[in-house]
Amino acid sequence: MDRNPSPPCSDAEEEEGDAVGNTVYSKHWLFSVLTRLIEVIAPAEPDPAASPEGARTELDEEMENDICKVWDMSMDEDVALFLQEFNAPDIFMGVFAKSKCPRLTEICVGILGNMACFQDICMSISKDENLGQVLLQRLCDSDSPTLLETSRLLLTCLSQPEVANVWVERIRENPSVYDCVCFIMSSSTNVDLLVKVGEVVDKLFDLDEELMLNWIKNGTCQPVGPSVDDSPEELPDFKIVPCILEAAKQVRSDNPEGLDVYMHILQLLTTVDEGIQAIVQAPDGGKETWSLLYDLVCQELCQPDDPPIIVQEQKTVLASILSVLSAMFASQTEQEYTRMRKSKLCFFLLIRILQYMEGCGKRAVDNSKESKQEETGRTEINEEDFHLKILKDICCELLSNMLQELTKENTLEGLHQGHLNEQTCSCAFQNLLPLYFASVESFLEVLREADQTLADNLEKRFPSLKVHP
């Protein structure tokens, strides 16, 4: 059986006025399905298929087929409004309270998620405090499909400016949400679920810095999650950074968009001092975070055999990763893991990105100028150019910080390995000057000790540099 069968058509030609709005769907049919749904959660007589507690744990095939049709139909605004008028959200609340059937709960949350895509209905759902609390409780469910639909519903509501603050405040006042989200990120292997939960966290942190700060400082407030022996499971105090890293490891290979989401969450953490400290003051001193990000940029992103255009495709995830590395480097330059790898990261990766961007950026700007001049007679920076500029700025900041930390030994190693040569140094200087003049000047002094000829050649190419012995 298909997961969501095709919705039924109405016999509106035979029953005038039976169609829902401007659709061909039948009001009578919808009424009958919702009525049967009420009977499923509150049967008049004991059902032999029910569990010992008296509640069904599985749907019969016909009922599942029909309720899935409603799920599909609810993507139509007229149907969604009809369901709202029929008080379907109240019926679903009854399902959440009484049903022991995970599939039924999943479908009902999914229908609400479709209905919430329409502004007026979303506002109605969001303002219902009881429904809001019940939906947040679904985040503690042990059923992955239900968790996925709950996360989708929350993201839909958080994306509506008119009600986003209602949900932010509601989540802030429910500390258990933190535990549920961390439990999912740290233990789930369902990539689709991890991506959607990541999108919810990313949206929450972007909307409300206070909530982000609370979550950075937070620990476990109450037990959540399934237990083998049906007794409350004692969970460790969740810390947000290890949970984010665990989720990122799960999605990195299967879902590039999901990896982008989790890297952006880490970047948001670095916008506050508490977030940076949460990263670098972890029990391992931030080594796990650095190792994961370093491995991503050096082994998977922007590789030497990739075409330069790859920078445009990876610009947002690269910007997030390099931003976090930059914050860590500035905060933890004494850490052994940054000292060991700074030379290779600095010259092998950052300069490669800048070299790629020179070609891509020039073509993009030229194309933008041509199109804008034709249309308006003036030049503007489009969104793609804007993101490339952000990436360049982050690269230059990190490169500048690393240049100031290079020793003669690091420089000799870079020269020996081929990371340092006139071409790479010229590219670095071209992008760093004049804003990071002090960093370039400091590096040139060290370079003069390691390779006098290269230093002299660079000074000739960039006359503004006046290095004195």
Side-chain angles (χ1 to χ4, degrees):
M1 182 183 69
D2 293 338
R3 179 177 176 82
N4 291 333
S6 299
C9 291
S10 167
D11 295 327
E13 294 86 352
E14 299 178 11
E15 282 188 58
E16 188 176 352
D18 185 52
V20 177
N22 294 320
T23 73
V24 294
Y25 305 137
S26 166
K27 289 180 182 179
H28 178 77
W29 184 87
L30 273 170
F31 273 127
S32 68
V33 174
L34 292 174
T35 300
R36 281 190 289 144
L37 180 58
I38 295 172
E39 293 172 353
V40 166
I41 59 175
E45 298 179 3
D47 189 333
S51 67
E53 292 79 14
R56 282 178 173 269
T57 57
E58 294 184 5
L59 283 174
D60 64 65
E61 185 173 341
E62 181 182 1
M63 184 62 195
E64 180 173 354
N65 188 55
D66 286 346
I67 197 68
C68 279
K69 291 177 182 177
V70 177
W71 191 356
D72 268 353
M73 293 165 66
S74 63
M75 291 187 289
D76 186 288
E77 186 172 8
D78 285 336
V79 174
L81 288 169
F82 178 83
L83 292 173
Q84 177 79 358
E85 293 170 2
F86 194 74
N87 294 322
D90 291 339
I91 298 174
F92 298 152
M93 279 189 65
V95 171
F96 304 148
K98 299 179 181 179
S99 174
K100 301 296 182 182
C101 175
R103 176 62 169 153
L104 180 58
T105 302
E106 173 205 356
I107 295 169
C108 291
V109 177
I111 294 172
L112 278 176
N114 283 350
M115 294 171 64
C117 293
F118 305 105
Q119 183 178 340
D120 290 343
I121 300 176
C122 185
M123 292 180 67
S124 176
I125 291 173
S126 300
K127 290 178 180 179
D128 188 329
E129 186 62 28
N130 290 332
L131 180 57
Q133 296 295 336
V134 168
L135 288 172
L136 290 184
Q137 291 172 11
R138 298 272 63 76
L139 286 173
C140 296
D141 206 297
S142 60
D143 180 59
S144 291
T146 297
L147 289 171
L148 177 59
E149 292 306 319
T150 303
S151 302
R152 184 174 73 89
L153 171 57
L154 289 177
L155 184 63
T156 298
C157 294
L158 289 168
S159 300
Q160 296 267 9
E162 297 80 10
V163 299
N165 290 338
V166 174
W167 285 97
V168 170
E169 184 64 27
R170 187 173 286 148
I171 291 170
R172 192 190 297 132
E173 293 175 353
N174 282 268
S176 63
V177 172
Y178 169 87
D179 285 307
C180 296
V181 168
C182 285
F183 182 75
I184 294 168
M185 291 194 297
S186 63
S187 63
S188 178
T189 57
N190 185 317
V191 172
D192 291 337
L193 172 59
L194 289 171
V195 172
K196 195 58 64 178
V197 167
E199 290 175 344
V200 170
V201 174
D202 188 41
K203 191 69 176 178
L204 283 171
F205 286 3
D206 194 40
L207 286 170
D208 193 80
E209 185 176 294
E210 181 184 346
L211 184 143
M212 181 173 71
L213 288 169
N214 289 341
W215 282 25
I216 290 171
K217 302 171 185 176
N218 214 341
T220 301
C221 297
Q222 66 179 38
V224 295
S227 177
V228 175
D229 58 2
D230 293 328
S231 62
E233 180 180 2
E234 291 297 327
L235 296 176
D237 285 348
F238 286 119
K239 301 300 180 184
I240 191 69
V241 173
C243 295
I244 294 169
L245 294 179
E246 189 59 38
K249 292 174 187 176
Q250 288 289 335
V251 305
R252 63 182 289 185
S253 300
D254 298 324
N255 195 302
E257 292 78 13
L259 179 64
D260 200 342
V261 168
Y262 279 98
M263 293 303 100
H264 189 255
I265 295 173
L266 283 177
Q267 183 182 9
L268 287 174
L269 292 182
T270 65
T271 61
V272 294
D273 291 338
E274 293 87 347
I276 297 174
Q277 295 308 308
I279 293 172
V280 300
Q281 291 184 358
D284 63 356
K287 185 176 181 180
E288 184 180 0
T289 303
W290 180 277
S291 297
L292 173 62
L293 302 188
Y294 179 86
D295 187 55
L296 285 170
V297 294
C298 288
Q299 303 299 327
E300 297 185 20
L301 301 173
C302 196
Q303 295 303 291
D305 55 349
D306 288 333
I309 195 68
I310 198 69
V311 170
Q312 292 203 27
E313 297 177 5
Q314 299 175 350
K315 56 184 177 293
T316 56
V317 68
L318 279 170
S320 294
I321 292 174
L322 295 179
S323 181
V324 177
L325 289 174
S326 182
M328 294 183 70
F329 189 87
S331 300
Q332 292 284 310
T333 52
E334 75 280 3
Q335 288 289 347
E336 183 64 23
Y337 59 79
T338 61
R339 289 202 301 272
M340 287 171 54
R341 291 171 168 173
K342 74 175 74 172
S343 177
K344 182 179 179 182
L345 177 62
C346 181
F347 294 103
F348 187 66
L349 172 69
L350 296 178
I351 295 179
R352 185 198 312 147
I353 293 174
L354 291 172
Q355 287 175 322
Y356 282 5
M357 288 178 65
E358 284 181 351
C360 294
K362 185 177 185 303
R363 285 194 298 272
V365 170
D366 289 343
N367 292 338
S368 176
K369 285 181 178 180
E370 291 176 5
S371 61
K372 294 298 180 182
Q373 285 174 340
E374 289 176 2
E375 295 175 10
T376 65
R378 59 191 177 90
T379 61
E380 294 180 1
I381 298 178
N382 60 32
E383 183 177 356
E384 187 170 277
D385 297 330
F386 176 72
H387 286 296
L388 285 173
K389 182 180 184 303
I390 291 176
L391 175 57
K392 178 182 176 181
D393 290 345
I394 294 171
C395 280
C396 289
E397 181 181 4
L398 179 54
L399 185 59
S400 169
N401 289 335
M402 289 183 165
L403 282 178
Q404 295 185 74
E405 298 297 324
L406 289 180
T407 63
K408 180 180 178 180
E409 290 72 23
N410 297 142
T411 304
L412 286 170
E413 180 185 2
L415 290 167
H416 177 72
Q417 295 179 349
H419 303 149
L420 270 178
N421 54 48
E422 188 167 345
Q423 181 184 18
T424 57
C425 289
S426 295
C427 178
F429 289 10
Q430 183 70 39
N431 284 280
L432 293 175
L433 293 172
L435 184 60
Y436 297 103
F437 181 88
S439 296
V440 174
E441 188 177 46
S442 172
F443 167 68
L444 196 55
E445 290 177 355
V446 175
L447 181 61
R448 189 176 294 279
E449 298 179 17
D451 191 327
Q452 178 76 41
T453 302
L454 177 56
D456 289 343
N457 290 340
L458 289 169
E459 192 170 20
K460 290 177 183 177
R461 293 190 64 172
F462 299 91
S464 62
L465 294 170
K466 301 296 181 182
V467 179
H468 302 286

